[in-house]
């Protein structure tokens, strides 16, 4: 910001000229006094020429003041130098152009003042003032929208959503300016009092319906069909399409919207035609090269159909000037381009079938091992429960036990002496029999099946004491059948334990484990045991 100021005063017959320059926040004062007889732009005092700079001193009433400092030795220039600089041969007439150029330079710097968007610089008050876009712009808001000016911008709001109007002052008050001919009484002119802020609209909250709807019968808001009521803003080249709460301006087929106007689409630029294309307003026309005919769709072209002579073994489709053969599913085209060879799907991947894949002409099939059938998906194998279907060789005296991929006919229970049959699957050795003194009290028979691909470790069987005696504790262990250490017992409580599979098993095989539960009672000096004879059938396959 630049401020240029000149002041002339008459004091004791001496004319004083003062020029103030405010440049980048620093105030410089060049003061020259002229003797009455000399009438030049400079003064000679005690053989010296005075050139002074203003200094900033002190604060007064919360604002910074500036005044010229007293003369100092460094402000004085020898007369010979002063005459060379400002007194030699110069007069007021030659100094006048210099002052005029300085004043014009300051005015042009003031005119170069710029403001942010939405404001304009006022040279009279030397401030940036708001631009009223609602008055200076032609149709700033479209449709049924009202323009509302704001400080630095404007808003477009629906007319039916106000509860009060927008009151804007008709004119701004003319600010008063000091008369520069008599000099300023203050260091700077006081800025004018700003106008009262405008009254902005208040959006009404009592509107019964949203914009684009109106209150219908029964107090229900219904959509306004702007296209039917002709209240839309579509231009004559457009077509109005009503939507819920509004409308859309579209174009007819063959035209698109460009800059608010519907313009013809050049369909030929986008390859609508297969060969030759001629664009017409709103449409296009296709044609074909020599040797082709236009199809009924009006776009594609068809050449002579070589497939009518059946040159292919399976299928044929015509191409431009030639033909191509294709083969059915499960076949591939031979090197001659016309015959087809069977495709061996089983050779591509091993996971097509869960068990085994058999190639067939044009296809393949999955087969499963004995004891399994092909599942509904055509590739998986599912166990056949021969015991449920009756497809087994067990007698009426035997019990059929099914496992993955097979079954087992279990003979009726036979207890070896001195054991006697206690229940359907349990033998007991009575404590009254002297031969049973060192033998387990009971032997319980159980059966289960396992898949060879089962992950380890895995809990497979649980053992628990059915009767608990005061002061007794129980020990669980594998007494026999675990020569390969495939299993171990993990005690889960003081009266139960779990059989854990520790190593993967391979099938098919049949394993018999004797799981022993030892009961110890030190109070009555008692020690006894019971056996669970567990038979495990390991299948050959993991499915």
């Amino acid at each position: 910001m630049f401020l240029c100021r000149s002041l002339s005063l008459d004091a004791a017959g001496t004319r004083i000229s003062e020029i103030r320059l405010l440049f980048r926040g620093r105030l410089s004062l060049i003061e020259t006094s002229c003797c009455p007889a000399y009438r030049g732009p400079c003064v000679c005092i005690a053989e010296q020429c005075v050139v002074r700079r203003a200094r900033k001193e002190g604060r007064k009433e919360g604002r910074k003041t500036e005044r010229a400092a007293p003369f100092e030795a460094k402000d004085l220039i020898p007369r010979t130098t002063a005459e060379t600089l400002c007194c030699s041969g110069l007069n007021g007439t030659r100094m006048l152009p210099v002052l005029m150029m300085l004043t014009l330079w300051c005015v042009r710097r003031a005119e170069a003042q710029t403001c942010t968007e939405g404001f304009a610089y006022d040279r009279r008050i030397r401030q940036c003032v708001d631009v009223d876009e609602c008055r200076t712009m032609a149709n700033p808001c479209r449709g049924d929208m009202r323009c509302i000016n704001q400080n630095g911008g404007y808003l477009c709001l629906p007319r039916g959503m106000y509860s009060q109007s927008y009151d804007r002052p008709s004119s701004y008050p003319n600010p008063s300016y000091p008369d520069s001919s008599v000099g300023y009484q203050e260091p700077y002119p006081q800025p004018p009092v700003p106008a009262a802020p405008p009254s902005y609209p208040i959006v009404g909250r009592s509107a019964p319906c949203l914009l684009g709807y109106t209150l219908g019968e029964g107090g229900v808001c219904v959509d306004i069909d702007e296209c039917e009521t002709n209240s839309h803003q579509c231009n004559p080249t457009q077509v109005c399409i009503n939507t819920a709460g509004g409308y859309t301006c579209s174009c007819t087929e063959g035209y698109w919207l460009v800059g608010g106007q519907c313009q013809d689409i050049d369909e030929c630029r986008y390859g609508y035609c297969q060969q030759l294309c001629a664009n017409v307003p709103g449409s296009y026309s296709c044609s074909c090269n020599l040797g082709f005919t236009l199809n009924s769709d009006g776009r594609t072209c068809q050449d002579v159909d070589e497939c009518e002579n059946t040159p292919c073994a399976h299928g044929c489709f015509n191409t431009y000037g030639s033909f191509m053969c294709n083969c059915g599913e499960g076949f591939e085209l031979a090197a001659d381009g016309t015959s087809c060879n069977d495709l061996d799907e089983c050779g591509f991947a091993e996971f097509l079938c869960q068990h085994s894949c058999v190639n067939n002409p044009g296809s393949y099939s999955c087969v499963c091992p004995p004891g399994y059938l092909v599942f509904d998906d055509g590739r998986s194998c599912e166990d056949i429960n021969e015991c449920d279907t009756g497809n087994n060789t067990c007698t009426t005296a035997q019990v059929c036990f099914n496992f993955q991929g097979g079954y087992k006919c279990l003979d009726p229970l036979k207890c070896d002496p001195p054991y006697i049959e206690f229940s359907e699957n349990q033998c007991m050795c009575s404590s009254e029999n002297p031969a049973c003194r060192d033998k387990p009290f009971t032997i319980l028979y159980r059966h289960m099946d396992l898949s060879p691909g089962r992950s380890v470790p895995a809990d497979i069987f649980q053992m628990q004491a059915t009767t608990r005696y005061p002061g007794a504790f129980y020990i669980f262990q594998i007494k026999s059948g675990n020569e390969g250490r495939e299993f171990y017992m993990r005690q889960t409580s003081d009266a139960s334990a779990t059989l854990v599979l520790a190593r993967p098993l391979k099938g098919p095989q049949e394993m018999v484990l004797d799981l022993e539960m030892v009961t110890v009672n030190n109070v009555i000096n008692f020690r006894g045991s019971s056996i669970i004879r567990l038979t495990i059938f390991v299948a050959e396959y993991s499915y």
Side-chain angles (χ1 to χ4, degrees):
M1 178 177 180
F2 298 87
L3 174 63
C4 297
R5 177 181 177 188
S6 62
L7 178 63
S8 299
L9 298 176
D10 291 331
T14 301
R15 186 174 184 84
I16 300 176
S17 298
E18 179 179 271
I19 300 177
R20 291 178 180 267
L21 300 177
L22 183 60
F23 178 71
R24 294 183 179 175
R26 299 185 60 186
L27 181 66
S28 298
L29 173 64
I30 301 176
E31 180 177 319
T32 60
S33 301
C34 301
C35 301
Y38 190 39
R39 298 300 179 185
C42 303
V43 65
C44 299
I45 302 176
E47 303 299 324
Q48 304 290 334
C49 186
V50 180
V51 179
R52 292 197 298 161
R53 294 181 181 271
R55 296 184 180 87
K56 298 179 180 178
E57 295 183 356
R59 294 178 177 271
K60 182 177 181 181
E61 296 179 359
R63 66 173 183 172
K64 187 179 293 184
T65 60
E66 299 178 356
R67 60 190 178 87
F71 290 126
E72 297 181 4
K74 63 181 179 180
D75 297 325
L76 302 179
I77 303 175
R79 179 172 181 177
T80 57
T81 304
E83 289 178 352
T84 303
L85 295 177
C86 59
C87 300
S88 177
L90 296 178
N91 53 36
T93 304
R94 296 184 62 184
M95 193 65 180
L96 181 59
V98 176
L99 296 177
M100 292 179 64
M101 291 179 64
L102 181 62
T103 304
L104 179 60
W105 175 78
C106 294
V107 170
R108 289 183 177 179
R109 295 294 296 179
E111 290 178 351
Q113 179 69 33
T114 60
C115 301
T116 58
E117 187 176 358
F119 294 86
Y121 185 73
D122 193 330
R123 294 174 51 193
R124 296 178 301 172
I125 62 176
R126 299 175 183 177
Q127 289 184 358
C128 293
V129 297
D130 174 54
V131 176
D132 189 351
E133 292 87 353
C134 297
R135 295 189 178 185
T136 59
M137 295 176 61
N139 298 325
C141 298
R142 300 184 60 182
D144 191 21
M145 306 292 283
R146 181 173 181 177
C147 179
I148 305 300
N149 186 60
Q150 288 192 329
N151 195 27
Y154 67 98
L155 292 175
C156 293
L157 297 177
R159 296 181 180 271
M161 297 181 66
Y162 312 133
S163 59
Q164 73 176 50
S165 61
Y166 170 57
D167 297 330
R168 181 177 180 87
S170 58
S171 62
Y172 292 97
N174 295 324
S176 59
Y177 305 97
D179 188 2
S180 60
S181 62
V182 298
Y184 291 110
Q185 301 302 321
E186 295 293 335
Y188 298 101
Q190 297 296 326
V193 178
S199 175
Y200 294 104
I202 300 177
V203 179
R205 299 182 179 178
S206 60
C209 298
L210 297 175
L211 184 66
Y213 292 84
T214 184
L215 195 62
E217 298 180 0
V220 179
C221 293
V222 295
D223 173 56
I224 299 175
D225 191 346
E226 294 84 357
C227 301
E228 183 178 355
T229 59
N230 201 23
S231 58
H232 59 84
Q233 298 295 325
C234 300
N235 60 49
T237 64
Q238 297 173 336
V239 177
C240 177
I241 301 175
N242 186 60
T243 61
Y247 63 92
T248 300
C249 296
S250 181
C251 297
T252 58
E253 185 177 2
Y255 293 85
W256 57 8
L257 192 64
V258 178
Q261 300 292 329
C262 290
Q263 296 185 6
D264 173 55
I265 299 175
D266 187 359
E267 294 85 356
C268 298
R269 295 181 56 187
Y270 304 100
Y272 279 22
C273 296
Q274 191 173 18
Q275 291 186 2
L276 303 178
C277 178
N279 185 60
V280 295
S283 184
Y284 62 96
S285 176
C286 297
S287 58
C288 298
N289 293 321
L290 184 64
F292 292 84
T293 58
L294 190 65
N295 290 327
S296 58
D297 59 5
R299 295 177 53 190
T300 59
C301 297
Q302 183 178 359
D303 71 334
V304 178
D305 189 2
E306 296 86 355
C307 293
E308 293 181 353
N309 299 324
T310 317
C312 302
H314 281 192
C316 173
F317 65 92
N318 187 58
T319 60
Y320 301 116
S322 182
F323 68 97
M324 291 184 63
C325 296
N326 60 1
C327 298
E329 185 177 0
F331 293 87
E332 60 182 352
L333 194 64
D336 58 6
T338 58
S339 58
C340 297
N341 296 331
D342 176 54
L343 185 66
D344 187 4
E345 296 87 355
C346 298
F348 289 152
E350 298 180 355
F351 57 82
L352 288 177
C353 299
Q354 189 176 31
H355 179 68
S356 178
C357 177
V358 177
N359 184 61
N360 301 319
S363 180
Y364 70 96
S365 60
C366 296
V367 295
C368 295
Y372 294 87
L373 55 82
V374 180
F375 195 59
D376 295 339
D377 59 3
R379 61 174 301 272
S380 304
C381 295
E382 183 181 19
D383 173 58
I384 299 174
N385 192 335
E386 294 86 355
C387 298
D388 290 344
T389 60
N391 188 19
N392 58 76
T393 60
C394 298
T395 63
T396 56
Q398 294 175 323
V399 176
C400 181
F401 179 79
N402 183 74
F403 57 87
Q404 291 295 108
Y407 67 96
K408 182 72 173 180
C409 294
L410 304 177
D411 295 325
L413 180 63
K414 292 181 180 181
C415 299
D416 297 329
Y419 287 91
I420 61 175
E421 185 176 350
F422 180 71
S423 63
E424 182 179 356
N425 57 352
Q426 187 176 15
C427 295
M428 183 179 68
C429 193
S430 175
S431 59
E432 299 175 355
N433 189 346
C436 296
R437 180 173 298 178
D438 297 329
K439 296 182 180 296
F441 179 65
T442 60
I443 299 177
L444 181 64
Y445 293 85
R446 287 285 185 262
H447 303 84
M448 67 175 297
D449 65 321
L450 283 177
S451 299
R454 188 162 184 174
S455 60
V456 293
D459 298 344
I460 62 174
F461 190 80
Q462 188 173 12
M463 190 175 181
Q464 182 173 338
T466 57
T467 304
R468 303 181 63 179
Y469 300 96
F473 64 92
Y474 304 90
I475 301 174
F476 298 89
Q477 60 187 3
I478 302 175
K479 190 174 183 180
S480 64
N482 193 28
E483 290 76 10
R485 298 185 180 276
E486 295 90 352
F487 308 91
Y488 68 87
M489 294 293 294
R490 185 182 73 247
Q491 193 155 347
T492 56
S493 69
D494 57 349
S496 64
T498 299
L499 179 64
V500 180
L501 176 64
R503 296 180 180 180
L505 300 177
K506 293 183 179 180
Q509 64 172 317
E510 182 177 331
M511 307 178 69
V512 179
L513 300 178
D514 279 355
L515 309 179
E516 183 180 29
M517 181 184 69
V518 181
T519 304
V520 180
N521 194 331
N522 294 327
V523 176
I524 61 176
N525 195 21
F526 172 79
R527 182 184 179 90
S529 66
S530 297
I531 294 291
I532 294 180
R533 187 156 292 166
L534 179 62
T535 302
I536 302 175
F537 298 98
V538 182
E540 183 178 0
Y541 305 102
S542 59
Y543 38 83

